[in-house]
Amino acid sequence: MRKELDPLLHSALRLKIVSVLVSLEEADFLFLQEQTGSTSGNLSVQLDKLASAGYIEVEKTFQGKKPRTLCRMTSKGIEAFRQYADALKAYLNV
Amino acid sequence: MRKELDPLLHSALRLKIVSVLVSLEEADFLFLQEQTGSTSGNLSVQLDKLASAGYIEVEKTFQGKKPRTLCRMTSKGIEAFRQYADALKAYLNV
DNA sequence: TAAAGTACTTTATTTTATAAACCTAATATT
DNA sequence: AATATTAGGTTTATAAAATAAAGTACTTTA
């Protein structure tokens, strides 16, 4: 039978975020906003969810005097993404 | 940039339904319920949404005295699924 | 003939996603 | 030097979606 799809990853915006992050070491808030085309509010909320699940880590730094939020995948997140991708392929018969 | 994911297909249950239907000529309500593991209520709602969008067609027949609901993909639905699968692959880098 | 079962549909509740409003600090403007 | 504007977010409110519970219209079985 088809595997269940991790609901945390099976969401349009969170999937975008994670698919950007897996191919990069790290990305900041503004870059993610640009890549995903989301509003900052929605992005903030979804980053929180990913962070609470331990899929990404979020580091708040300053660049000069401006705040800068850096995000990167954790190994847990990478593994979850891998499994999600595998499960999905069964649905798409890739 | 990544393509948008059709929200009608990007839902756990509707994706299950469609992924079953694309590989079959047709399937009835009970078979879909068994394959997807969903409740009948949820299945009924999601079939309605797919039908309203013109992605599937639903035929209500009788088998002897029992109602029997048959579902099959439309060409519109097949095309939508194809595009959805393509878009997704870009996210997964398949 | 009353109780239980089949095959659903409808309505209500919960969860999730999105958008709008707000906040704080820094820089620019008059 | 006060005031407005921008940057980089967060919080709260609204809208949409998913799910579960209850209901309907029969039919079968005891």
Side-chain angles (χ1 to χ4, degrees):
Chain A
M1 231 250 245
R2 283 159 183 88
K3 286 177 219 150
E4 288 305 311
L5 298 170
D6 185 342
L8 206 69
L9 293 179
H10 195 67
S11 125
L13 181 49
R14 290 194 301 271
L15 182 57
K16 280 184 189 172
I17 293 168
V18 167
S19 90
V20 168
L21 287 179
V22 288
S23 56
L24 256 58
E25 327 74 67
E26 61 182 21
D28 67 20
F29 194 96
L30 293 178
F31 179 77
L32 284 173
Q33 196 181 342
E34 180 189 310
Q35 291 290 309
T36 60
S38 70
T39 61
S40 54
N42 197 8
L43 182 56
S44 177
V45 169
Q46 306 310 331
L47 287 177
D48 262 10
K49 289 188 187 173
L50 290 170
S52 300
Y55 284 10
I56 66 172
E57 52 179 29
V58 176
E59 191 186 350
K60 276 142 200 309
T61 64
F62 278 84
Q63 188 160 48
K65 304 208 174 143
K66 293 181 186 173
R68 181 161 189 245
T69 297
L70 284 171
C71 306
R72 65 186 76 87
M73 298 298 291
T74 61
S75 54
K76 183 178 178 185
I78 292 171
E79 176 58 15
F81 180 71
R82 207 188 55 68
Q83 291 212 25
Y84 172 78
D86 266 12
L88 250 188
K89 285 173 199 167
Y91 286 79
L92 307 180
N93 28 309
V94 174
Chain B
M1 229 251 246
R2 284 162 183 86
K3 288 179 219 150
E4 288 305 312
L5 297 171
D6 185 341
L8 206 69
L9 293 179
H10 196 67
S11 126
L13 181 49
R14 289 195 300 271
L15 183 57
K16 280 182 189 173
I17 293 167
V18 167
S19 89
V20 169
L21 287 179
V22 287
S23 57
L24 257 56
E25 328 73 67
E26 61 181 21
D28 67 20
F29 193 95
L30 292 179
F31 179 77
L32 285 173
Q33 195 181 342
E34 179 189 309
Q35 290 292 309
T36 60
S38 69
T39 61
S40 53
N42 197 9
L43 182 56
S44 176
V45 169
Q46 306 309 330
L47 287 177
D48 261 11
K49 288 188 187 171
L50 290 170
S52 299
Y55 285 9
I56 65 172
E57 52 179 31
V58 176
E59 189 187 352
K60 276 142 202 308
T61 64
F62 277 84
Q63 188 161 48
K65 303 205 174 145
K66 292 184 187 171
R68 181 162 189 244
T69 298
L70 283 171
C71 307
R72 65 187 75 89
M73 298 297 291
T74 61
S75 52
K76 184 178 178 185
I78 292 170
E79 175 59 15
F81 180 71
R82 207 190 53 69
Q83 292 213 25
Y84 172 77
D86 266 12
L88 249 189
K89 285 173 200 168
Y91 285 79
L92 307 181
N93 29 308
V94 174

